[in-house]
Amino acid sequence: MQTINILVATTSGNTEYLADQLANELQQAGFTTTMHYEPDYSDLMESLTDNSIWLCCVASHGAGDYADSMLDFAEELHTHKPNLSTLKYGVIAVGDSCYDTFCSAGRDCDAMLAILGAKRLITHLEIDMSQDDPDEKSSTWLQSFIKSL
């Protein structure tokens, strides 16, 4: 079965918890998952194959920045602009709608991966931590993600 690399951008741990729940659901569906709680640019670039799949769980922090755990990785992507034409991906953006930068890091991640040639499997999901049930909303989205593989 396919391996799905789950890249996590979190500061408070909520997005890490969400990513762990998604990993469990993917494993129950027969997929292998590899967690990247602090994604390493070099490691992920070296491991890219024609079958690579990333599920990016990205929390926005501060003024719409990437959460600390993924900040270096995002900067490397923006700087090096690698060819990601063999990559398939999905993005879950996490934020709080009381801020005008709601989900901006996740939106940026989605846009950057597409610009670099990666194939978006499904429209990104936006989770509002102040209003949504993250587990329920992401679980529903994940079923569509799985069908797109």
Side-chain angles (χ1 to χ4, degrees):
M1 190 50 92
Q2 294 173 301
T3 297
I4 299 174
N5 290 284
I6 302 177
L7 288 63
V8 183
T10 189
T11 298
S12 66
N14 290 331
T15 306
E16 181 178 333
Y17 171 80
L18 181 65
D20 288 340
Q21 297 304 314
L22 295 169
N24 288 336
E25 288 184 47
L26 286 165
Q27 290 164 10
Q28 289 173 6
F31 294 92
T32 301
T33 59
T34 302
M35 302 302 292
H36 300 273
Y37 295 111
E38 292 188 24
D40 182 273
Y41 177 83
S42 296
D43 289 349
L44 284 162
M45 291 304 110
E46 288 172 14
S47 67
L48 272 181
T49 68
D50 290 344
N51 299 315
S52 292
I53 303 167
W54 291 357
L55 174 55
C56 303
C57 299
V58 183
S60 295
H61 177 71
D65 299 323
Y66 283 84
D68 295 343
S69 65
M70 196 171 181
L71 188 57
D72 290 343
F73 176 80
E75 288 175 358
E76 295 271 1
L77 271 184
H78 281 273
T79 300
H80 297 293
K81 296 181 175 40
N83 178 351
L84 298 179
S85 60
T86 62
L87 176 67
K88 297 176 190 144
Y89 77 95
V91 174
I92 296 177
V94 179
D96 189 325
S97 63
C98 71
Y99 297 102
D100 60 354
T101 57
F102 173 66
C103 288
S104 59
R107 292 173 185 163
D108 177 80
C109 180
D110 185 24
M112 178 55 67
L113 293 175
I115 287 168
L116 297 174
K119 180 185 178 200
R120 180 185 298 120
L121 292 171
I122 183 174
T123 302
H124 76 269
L125 173 66
E126 294 186 357
I127 295 177
D128 184 346
M129 293 303 280
S130 67
Q131 296 183 17
D132 296 329
D133 176 336
D135 293 338
E136 181 181 321
K137 194 167 183 179
S138 63
S139 183
T140 300
W141 179 90
L142 189 65
Q143 297 314 306
S144 296
F145 178 80
I146 288 170
K147 288 177 186 172
S148 72
L149 294 170

